[in-house]
Amino acid sequence: MLKRLFATRKHPCMPGLNTPEHITVNLSGSVLSLKLPPHYSSDGFEAHCEPIDTMNIYDPTGYSGDPMGTAVFNRKRFISRAWELFGPLTRLRNIGSISFVAVVERIDSLPEGMSCFNPNHFEQVINRLMFKMGPETPQIDPKVAPVNWCTEVKNDCLWVCYEMRKANDGDPNSFAPSQFSSYAVTPLDDHHYIRLMFHNLGYKPAEYSNRFVNSVRDKVLNSVTLTLSEYAQQRKVEVQSQWPDATISPQRQPYNWVYPEWRDGDTNKGERHVVITQYHTQPPKFHL
């Protein structure tokens, strides 16, 4: 029985993994194409956001943001679905799940003259986003990032992939090693980019859980193609001509963040829900 249970954990299955849907989304003339397994919930819950065929990324309506911290990011979701993982002995009870979300994100705090089409500037944008999701969200479990950072150029578009993981709390029984998020990001114009997110709730042993959820992620990402709009292509050429030697780090090590001191805000007095009272690691600053 133990051997069979161990095999279950090593080789989970996911409904629809081998019968993905081909999805195409027009984002103000830039066309994203990818293959996604269909949404599946054993409890019957529908997907939060079925794929949107066409989105005007320049329409300010529909964007949501996080006012925390000193950098301003806003996002508009265009796909959101969930996948459940099963083992042959678990019957109708899942042993893990993956939540997939695709958003267009806009950074409003990028200084004038900087562009996401400049690889160095884009890395700074991602650095600022990671800090916002890490130390500037101190009420959530501390994070470690970037983990497994890598870059790839597909169809002349730069993609950056990395993971954010929970910091090791020293608990040998913790599920934290198999519960993490993966991201793939690519520019759409000077201030907009696509972010594809995979939020994993895995099982133990983490070695086998992570191997499987990462294989699902890689299968999706290998199907992705992005064709930039004529405007975006022209703007990209202009930026590359302005900064011909700009580069992005091919590999990265995680930050050694020290989380800030904070308190619960008094919303009746107009404060945010979380008030950071003292930074220990300072927010990264943008530089040309």
Side-chain angles (χ1 to χ4, degrees):
M1 175 63 74
L2 289 177
K3 288 184 178 180
R4 290 177 62 193
L5 181 59
F6 188 65
T8 297
R9 290 173 171 171
K10 285 180 63 176
H11 304 290
C13 61
M14 196 181 92
L17 179 60
N18 296 319
T19 55
E21 304 169 358
H22 185 268
I23 295 168
T24 300
V25 182
N26 188 310
L27 302 167
S28 293
S30 294
V31 178
L32 177 73
S33 174
L34 72 168
K35 293 181 179 179
L36 287 178
H39 172 80
Y40 182 85
S41 169
S42 57
D43 293 325
F45 292 109
E46 297 181 354
H48 292 295
C49 178
E50 286 295 337
I52 296 173
D53 294 334
T54 302
M55 175 185 287
N56 180 0
I57 68 173
Y58 302 108
D59 182 353
T61 61
Y63 277 92
S64 61
D66 177 4
M68 178 97 49
T70 58
V72 181
F73 292 84
N74 292 281
R75 66 194 61 86
K76 187 183 290 191
R77 183 174 57 182
F78 59 92
I79 305 174
S80 179
R81 56 180 48 179
W83 307 310
E84 294 183 356
L85 315 179
F86 296 87
L89 299 181
T90 60
R91 298 183 181 180
L92 297 179
R93 182 180 178 184
N94 71 66
I95 58 174
S97 66
I98 305 172
S99 298
F100 174 81
V101 182
V103 301
V104 169
E105 204 146 38
R106 187 186 72 225
I107 176 166
D108 295 334
S109 51
L110 192 66
E112 184 177 355
M114 297 186 71
S115 170
C116 289
F117 281 138
N118 177 318
N120 176 268
H121 296 172
F122 191 46
E123 184 170 357
Q124 293 182 54
V125 170
I126 298 173
N127 290 344
R128 194 63 190 81
L129 178 64
M130 287 189 292
F131 187 87
K132 191 177 191 68
M133 298 171 67
E136 282 190 337
T137 314
Q139 74 278 21
I140 301 176
D141 292 335
K143 299 292 192 299
V144 175
V147 177
N148 293 327
W149 169 283
C150 65
T151 64
E152 181 181 3
V153 176
K154 294 181 61 175
N155 196 30
D156 204 32
C157 295
L158 172 66
W159 286 87
V160 180
C161 300
Y162 62 94
E163 299 167 4
M164 292 194 76
R165 295 178 173 268
K166 293 181 180 180
N168 187 356
D169 59 6
D171 180 1
N173 298 315
S174 172
F175 278 82
S178 60
Q179 299 180 351
F180 64 99
S181 297
S182 295
Y183 302 94
V185 291
T186 189
L188 280 175
D189 67 9
D190 292 318
H191 296 87
H192 295 79
Y193 56 90
I194 294 171
R195 185 156 60 111
L196 306 180
M197 298 175 265
F198 302 80
H199 303 303
N200 307 299
L201 293 177
Y203 51 90
K204 296 196 311 190
E207 175 186 357
Y208 302 112
S209 173
N210 295 355
R211 184 182 302 168
F212 182 79
V213 298
N214 285 343
S215 72
V216 175
R217 175 201 64 196
D218 294 345
K219 189 169 186 177
V220 171
L221 294 182
N222 286 338
S223 74
V224 170
T225 60
L226 174 66
T227 302
L228 293 175
S229 67
E230 290 186 10
Y231 163 76
Q233 292 182 46
Q234 178 181 351
R235 182 63 191 138
K236 181 179 177 181
V237 169
E238 293 171 353
V239 171
Q240 290 178 337
S241 297
Q242 185 175 0
W243 290 285
D245 299 323
T247 60
I248 192 168
S249 301
Q251 295 179 329
R252 295 275 302 275
Q253 293 298 314
Y255 283 106
N256 292 316
W257 288 321
V258 178
Y259 269 60
E261 297 176 27
W262 65 282
R263 62 174 173 82
D264 291 323
D266 187 343
T267 56
N268 292 326
K269 295 182 179 180
E271 292 182 335
R272 298 168 179 173
H273 289 285
V274 174
V275 175
I276 295 176
T277 57
Q278 182 178 351
Y279 282 103
H280 295 297
T281 298
Q282 293 298 314
K285 296 181 178 180
F286 293 113
H287 57 87
L288 282 167

